[in-house]
Amino acid sequence: MTLLPWQNTIWSRLQQMRDSGRLPHALLFSGPQGVGKELFAQLFAKSLLCQEPDSSGLPCGHCQPCHLLASGVHPDFTNIAPDVESKSGEILVDTIRGLAFSTTLTSTAGSHRIVLLRPAERMSNSAANAFLKTLEEPPLGTLMILISDRPSRLLPTIRSRCQLIGFATPPAEQALPWLEAQVNHGDPAMLLALAGGTPLRALELDDSALLEQRDSLLTAFIALAEGRTDPVKVAADWAKQDLNMLFEWWSGWLIDLLQLQAVEQPVTLFNKDRRETFKQLAERLDSGELQRNLQRLYRARQDVEANLNSQLLLESLTIDWMGRAANR
Ligand SMILES: [Zn+2]
């Protein structure tokens, strides 16, 4: 486990806080999905628990705490994620109560106990309230690291009790060389664009089945815009897909169309490999309609997360998209 090249600055900053004894009891790592927040948090936890970190704070990988962490059984490290039994994919209150109990014990070996909580915004209401109590009376020697792609969804009272550490999307000149050394299938620059510049997300997309899936969804999206297919059929097919991914791609298509209408040569296109197709489509569409379409898509995404009927929602979106695009 190594430090990702674009994380050096944050790493030094946290190591300085550690060296000067200024680490708070709770950190909130926030930033877009796919920039490596969790990898960083794991490495930092290792660094704090390792007996012989090197001069930059990187863990040795050989001492007993390093071995215990690698095998997932270190007694001073707790990883909290959504309960597998929770249908809503939430972190449940019992998990947080268990944490409050375990953090009252003193650390077994060194001076730190570390709790990693991810994705922090997935705590249920009662879990968040229980967690707030833990933050109000922080157990001595415990560092809680919350990780969130959407920190605005956390209770403001939780946010204000954590020190915010922001992870930004790295510049392409740092992300691309790293990605080039990792990919097997796709073109690194195309993948990075498709992932909105987030390198770990780009690496996830380096999967030939996934890239084929994107092609077929995009083909249907364009066929709808040209009035060549049945929106109800498309919705029925799309309802079976990974909806998070579908919404992410779909919003990327609409944003690209808006960008192509606004400027001649946009630099941040998601779908760089389809520039010409999108350009032709963009010329036929009204930008006000496109913006309304994008807003509807964002609202539908929230409704799907609230477990409303996804096929019906998708139908209304595909019919709306075809109505706005195809009749021009
Ligand atoms: Zn070590």
Side-chain angles (χ1 to χ4, degrees):
M1 196 194 281
T2 53
L3 192 60
L4 295 163
W6 52 90
Q7 297 180 333
N8 284 317
T9 314
I10 297 183
W11 183 262
S12 315
R13 190 173 138 211
L14 284 178
Q15 290 297 340
Q16 276 166 15
M17 286 162 73
R18 168 200 197 167
D19 292 345
S20 55
R22 284 184 296 113
L23 272 182
H25 56 266
L27 293 168
L28 170 58
F29 288 3
S30 84
Q33 187 200 356
V35 294
K37 300 185 294 298
E38 190 174 11
L39 282 177
F40 184 97
Q42 284 169 354
L43 195 64
F44 189 57
K46 261 192 166 180
S47 162
L48 292 174
L49 295 170
C50 173
Q51 285 167 346
E52 293 176 57
D54 72 9
S55 59
S56 54
L58 289 167
C60 73
H62 309 298
C63 67
Q64 198 200 8
C66 278
H67 280 302
L68 289 172
L69 272 170
S71 41
V73 293
H74 197 299
D76 293 331
F77 179 75
T78 311
N79 201 1
I80 294 186
D83 277 78
V84 274
E85 286 173 15
S86 153
K87 280 192 197 110
S88 53
E90 288 181 319
I91 296 170
L92 300 178
V93 65
D94 285 349
T95 313
I96 300 295
R97 287 203 186 113
L99 165 76
F101 171 74
S102 72
T103 47
T104 56
L105 306 169
T106 46
S107 123
T108 53
S111 53
H112 288 288
R113 287 185 72 93
I114 296 164
V115 177
L116 206 69
L117 202 146
R118 172 189 175 270
E121 76 277 4
R122 297 300 299 171
M123 277 187 279
S124 69
N125 284 338
S126 42
N129 283 313
F131 187 71
L132 186 58
K133 291 211 179 79
T134 311
L135 279 179
E136 283 167 342
E137 293 170 29
L140 209 64
T142 297
L143 171 66
M144 284 170 277
I145 304 178
L146 285 74
I147 304 179
S148 178
D149 303 338
R150 301 177 182 184
S152 62
R153 294 196 176 183
L154 285 166
L155 286 181
T157 41
I158 288 185
R159 271 205 312 271
S160 66
R161 283 178 170 80
C162 300
Q163 182 160 349
L164 181 74
I165 307 286
F167 287 70
T169 303
E173 59 264 30
Q174 280 184 338
L176 211 49
W178 177 84
L179 193 60
E180 275 163 356
Q182 318 279 331
V183 297
N184 294 312
H185 305 284
D187 164 50
M190 186 276 272
L191 292 169
L192 191 63
L194 196 54
T198 59
L200 276 80
R201 186 86 192 94
L203 196 55
E204 278 173 19
L205 296 173
D206 182 35
D207 170 325
S208 42
L210 214 54
L211 291 174
E212 271 172 37
Q213 191 191 2
R214 175 224 177 200
D215 275 356
S216 90
L217 295 174
L218 185 49
T219 304
F221 174 78
I222 290 166
L224 281 171
E226 292 171 350
R228 291 187 283 110
T229 187
D230 174 3
V232 177
K233 252 189 191 159
V234 171
D237 176 36
W238 285 7
K240 295 177 214 143
Q241 309 283 337
D242 172 346
L243 292 182
N244 257 332
M245 182 158 289
L246 172 68
F247 280 126
E248 193 183 307
W249 283 341
W250 198 340
S251 55
W253 301 330
L254 294 174
I255 290 168
D256 277 2
L257 289 170
L258 281 163
Q259 289 200 82
L260 284 160
Q261 285 182 334
V263 276
E264 189 62 31
Q265 295 289 342
V267 282
T268 56
L269 279 188
F270 291 103
N271 303 277
K272 280 201 170 103
D273 55 328
R274 301 299 185 91
R275 178 190 289 267
E276 274 317 301
T277 314
F278 275 82
K279 204 166 168 46
Q280 283 167 21
L281 193 54
E283 277 165 14
R284 296 180 22 232
L285 298 170
D286 175 79
S287 71
E289 296 277 3
L290 269 176
Q291 269 160 15
R292 278 187 286 281
N293 213 255
L294 185 60
Q295 280 158 12
R296 284 204 63 197
L297 186 68
Y298 287 144
R299 273 199 302 277
R301 187 173 194 161
Q302 287 169 4
D303 290 344
V304 165
E305 280 171 7
N307 293 315
L308 299 181
N309 185 322
S310 52
Q311 182 158 348
L312 278 181
L313 277 165
L314 289 173
E315 261 177 38
S316 80
L317 286 170
T318 50
I319 290 170
D320 182 61
W321 168 239
M322 187 158 108
R324 285 174 206 271
N327 299 329
R328 290 179 179 273

